[in-house]
Amino acid sequence: MLAIIGGTGLTQLDNLNINRRLIVRTPYGEPSQPLIFGEISGREVIFLARHGNGHTIPPHEVNYRANIAALHLQGVTEIAAIATVGGIHPDLSAGKIVIPHQIIDYTYGRKTTFHDGISNPVKHIDFTEPYCQTLREKWKNAAIAVGEEVVDHGVYAATQGPRLETAAEINRLERDGATVVGMTGMPEAALARELGISYATICPVANYAAGRGDNLHEIKYEEVISNLNLTMVRVRNIIAQLVKQNGHH
């Protein structure tokens, strides 16, 4: 079973024929919203808006453990996540779509593991390659099939938020090797790995990060949203194709 986790700009899937909604309770609390079961291109998927129905939950307050646990309880084996980012690399301007292959985690104070020694024994998962290569390929192939150009590699810097970064912080992330910056990539990816769920993310670039491109002194939120709305139309096409190509029913 494939699940789609939608981020900023993707609180619903227009092309999803909804069958039912399910309130799921987990040992870690409730997920961001009831799980939405539906079909795209005749294939069943589960959709979950990471920030809740009305985009009311900020990145650092998302109950990532409940979200991933709820999907796992429903038999989800693959999670295709959408995470909006700012472009750090000069080539990654607004409207680009990136499929990252690596993560650097700068978040703090989040519940980052199911193996906390309380509910589950301590366990150290391998996280050398944080994203499932097979699912990354599926994202890429879906994009190619609908004629969308994607950047098939990138290093995702996960920051705490909800504020945007300073120009100096972005310089630091760049020195560390990051090419895009977002606030929700972790601990989501690691939690999926802990439960043995294939996980990969696609990142629409909404704007240049602080101190980059036109944002030398300020990032204008209105511009970010209008850029994002245009890019999300393309992302939805890729999602529809991904679901169609996916062998799971």
Side-chain angles (χ1 to χ4, degrees), residues 29-94:
E30 288 191 15
S32 299
Q33 63 167 170
L35 302 184
I36 298 172
F37 290 75
E39 288 183 1
I40 299 176
S41 318
R43 299 279 167 91
E44 193 184 12
V45 293
I46 299 176
F47 179 74
L48 173 63
R50 190 186 287 117
H51 300 283
N53 282 330
H55 201 279
T56 50
I57 309 169
H60 66 295
E61 295 287 0
V62 171
N63 190 336
Y64 295 96
R65 293 200 300 179
N67 285 352
I68 301 298
L71 294 173
H72 185 247
L73 287 169
Q74 297 308 308
V76 165
T77 53
E78 290 183 303
I79 294 173
I82 296 91
T84 302
V85 294
I88 297 176
H89 191 279
D91 294 345
L92 300 180
S93 53

Side-chain angles (χ1 to χ4, degrees), residues 73-126:
L73 287 169
Q74 297 308 308
V76 165
T77 53
E78 290 183 303
I79 294 173
I82 296 91
T84 302
V85 294
I88 297 176
H89 191 279
D91 294 345
L92 300 180
S93 53
K96 292 287 174 74
I97 298 173
V98 181
I99 304 171
H101 69 289
Q102 275 294 340
I103 298 172
I104 308 176
D105 187 7
Y106 300 93
T107 64
Y108 49 87
R110 301 183 181 191
K111 297 267 197 289
T112 58
T113 181
F114 295 112
H115 302 295
D116 52 12
I118 303 157
S119 46
N120 287 302
V122 175
K123 182 179 166 191
H124 305 288
I125 53 159
D126 174 67

Side-chain angles (χ1 to χ4, degrees), residues 41-244:
S41 318
R43 299 279 167 91
E44 193 184 12
V45 293
I46 299 176
F47 179 74
L48 173 63
R50 190 186 287 117
H51 300 283
N53 282 330
H55 201 279
T56 50
I57 309 169
H60 66 295
E61 295 287 0
V62 171
N63 190 336
Y64 295 96
R65 293 200 300 179
N67 285 352
I68 301 298
L71 294 173
H72 185 247
L73 287 169
Q74 297 308 308
V76 165
T77 53
E78 290 183 303
I79 294 173
I82 296 91
T84 302
V85 294
I88 297 176
H89 191 279
D91 294 345
L92 300 180
S93 53
K96 292 287 174 74
I97 298 173
V98 181
I99 304 171
H101 69 289
Q102 275 294 340
I103 298 172
I104 308 176
D105 187 7
Y106 300 93
T107 64
Y108 49 87
R110 301 183 181 191
K111 297 267 197 289
T112 58
T113 181
F114 295 112
H115 302 295
D116 52 12
I118 303 157
S119 46
N120 287 302
V122 175
K123 182 179 166 191
H124 305 288
I125 53 159
D126 174 67
F127 209 49
T128 310
E129 303 286 341
Y131 298 112
C132 169
Q133 296 303 331
T134 309
L135 194 48
R136 287 183 68 248
E137 282 296 316
K138 286 182 184 178
W139 268 128
K140 185 176 155 187
N141 293 337
I144 291 167
V146 295
E148 285 296 346
E149 204 178 311
V150 290
V151 179
D152 66 357
H153 60 279
V155 179
Y156 181 109
T159 59
Q160 180 70 357
R163 69 167 176 84
L164 294 168
E165 299 73 35
T166 66
E169 285 169 336
I170 294 299
N171 289 342
R172 172 199 172 197
L173 301 186
E174 186 172 46
R175 287 194 299 273
D176 285 353
T179 58
V180 294
V181 58
M183 300 172 190
T184 56
M186 286 292 287
E188 199 172 87
L191 292 167
R193 178 65 54 87
E194 285 189 350
L195 295 183
I197 300 171
S198 298
Y199 178 99
T201 192
I202 192 168
C203 298
V205 179
N207 54 281
Y208 271 125
R212 297 288 185 277
D214 302 334
N215 299 325
L216 292 179
H217 304 294
E218 183 188 4
I219 295 174
K220 296 182 174 62
Y221 193 66
E222 299 71 35
E223 286 174 24
V224 171
I225 295 303
S226 67
N227 289 340
L228 198 51
N229 289 339
L230 292 171
T231 310
M232 277 305 176
V233 174
R234 295 158 52 214
V235 169
R236 282 189 178 92
N237 291 339
I238 299 173
I239 293 169
Q241 184 64 28
L242 176 79
V243 174
K244 199 195 254 176

